[in-house]
Amino acid sequence: MQRLENHQMKAQISPIIQNFFQQVGGSMPFASRFAIANRWIMESLLLAQLTKNHSTNALVRTTTALTMMKGSDAPNVLSPEVEFVVNFRLLPENTLQEVRDHVEQAASGFDVEIEQVDNAREASKVSPTDVKAYKMMEASIRRLYPDLIVTPYLTVGGTDAIKYQNLSDHIYRFMPIKINHAEQQSMHSTNEYISIENYLKMIDYFYYIMRHYDDETI
């Protein structure tokens, strides 16, 4: 467990994040702009900074989280074996086999059995941005937030959108809301909420897309 925690999967700047940096780089402080513009010599420094933060770490590597462990069923009994579960959120550039190889390397020298849990799956497909669906999203966002930069991004959490992959290649995990730190911390926790302003903007956003999707001017 310590090996998996201390030696996580390799960090990398994927094409998705590189595209994101190119889109937003002009609005960043000089040091960040310089690192992005000179990635060929600054990539190791850029990755070192990104991996320090939990949110940005998930943008550049398959994340590792030890979530469950089971040993003895009684306080006075030594367990002959221990089971633990590790949750990996796959970067699109990684595969289940690469994760398994990584775990096997960490388990070298131990008597360990490795098993994939039932909901193990490959990383989600990357949706295209040169299509009408994305352009409709962009148009609706700009109506609500005219001063913002609209750019593709990587959703770091698992969502039910994966279930639509057999129906379409155009799946976009996005909500048009601006949330503060308190709202972010409430997600999947006590008193989860968004503001009334955000709720109304979500309605406006989806209404515009549904109302104007067949417009020839888009």
Side-chain angles (χ1 to χ4, degrees):
M1 288 188 288
Q2 287 179 322
R3 287 182 183 179
L4 289 172
E5 186 68 32
N6 296 332
H7 304 284
Q8 300 195 16
M9 295 193 67
K10 181 182 178 181
Q12 57 183 301
I13 304 293
S14 66
I16 302 172
I17 299 305
Q18 177 64 18
N19 186 20
F20 167 72
F21 284 150
Q22 290 172 345
Q23 297 284 343
V24 304
S27 63
M28 290 183 171
F30 173 76
S32 299
R33 295 202 310 271
F34 181 83
I36 293 170
N38 297 276
R39 176 187 161 191
W40 59 284
I41 58 172
M42 303 292 290
E43 183 165 340
S44 59
L45 178 61
L46 187 60
L47 286 171
Q49 292 299 315
L50 291 170
T51 53
K52 287 181 179 179
N53 180 281
H54 289 302
S55 297
T56 54
N57 179 53
L59 298 178
V60 295
R61 66 149 51 103
T62 292
T63 56
T64 302
L66 282 74
T67 56
M68 301 172 67
M69 186 170 68
K70 180 178 184 294
S72 173
D73 291 320
N76 62 336
V77 175
L78 296 176
S79 176
E81 63 180 25
V82 172
E83 299 177 0
F84 67 93
V85 177
V86 189
N87 179 267
F88 294 97
R89 296 281 176 90
L90 268 68
L91 204 65
E93 280 63 39
N94 290 139
T95 65
L96 288 176
Q97 185 59 51
E98 288 175 328
V99 173
R100 188 179 184 90
D101 293 342
H102 172 73
V103 175
E104 287 178 350
Q105 183 178 8
S108 176
F110 292 95
D111 182 12
V112 173
E113 294 182 6
I114 302 170
E115 180 183 350
Q116 288 182 193
V117 294
D118 292 339
N119 61 348
R121 60 176 183 260
E122 300 290 354
S124 300
K125 300 175 184 177
V126 178
S127 299
T129 57
D130 58 345
V131 294
K132 184 175 182 178
Y134 182 83
K135 296 183 186 306
M136 280 299 311
M137 291 175 55
E138 189 174 35
S140 192
I141 294 168
R142 292 191 186 282
R143 287 179 58 257
L144 299 174
Y145 305 101
D147 298 327
L148 293 188
I149 298 172
V150 181
T151 176
Y153 194 62
L154 181 65
T155 301
V156 297
T159 74
D160 288 337
I162 187 92
K163 298 175 182 178
Y164 291 95
Q165 285 194 158
N166 291 333
L167 299 176
S168 175
D169 293 326
H170 304 167
I171 302 171
Y172 303 95
R173 300 155 177 83
F174 175 75
M175 290 191 301
I177 60 176
K178 294 172 64 176
I179 59 175
N180 57 36
H181 181 71
E183 290 170 317
Q184 187 177 35
Q185 293 302 307
S186 77
M187 289 183 177
H188 303 310
S189 185
T190 304
N191 195 31
E192 181 176 11
Y193 72 99
I194 60 172
S195 67
I196 294 176
E197 179 185 2
N198 275 324
Y199 180 62
L200 294 176
K201 284 190 173 182
M202 287 179 64
I203 295 173
D204 191 357
Y205 167 83
F206 287 111
Y207 177 82
Y208 178 86
I209 290 177
M210 290 186 286
R211 179 67 179 82
H212 297 279
Y213 196 87
D214 290 330
D215 291 354
E216 295 296 332
T217 57
I218 297 299

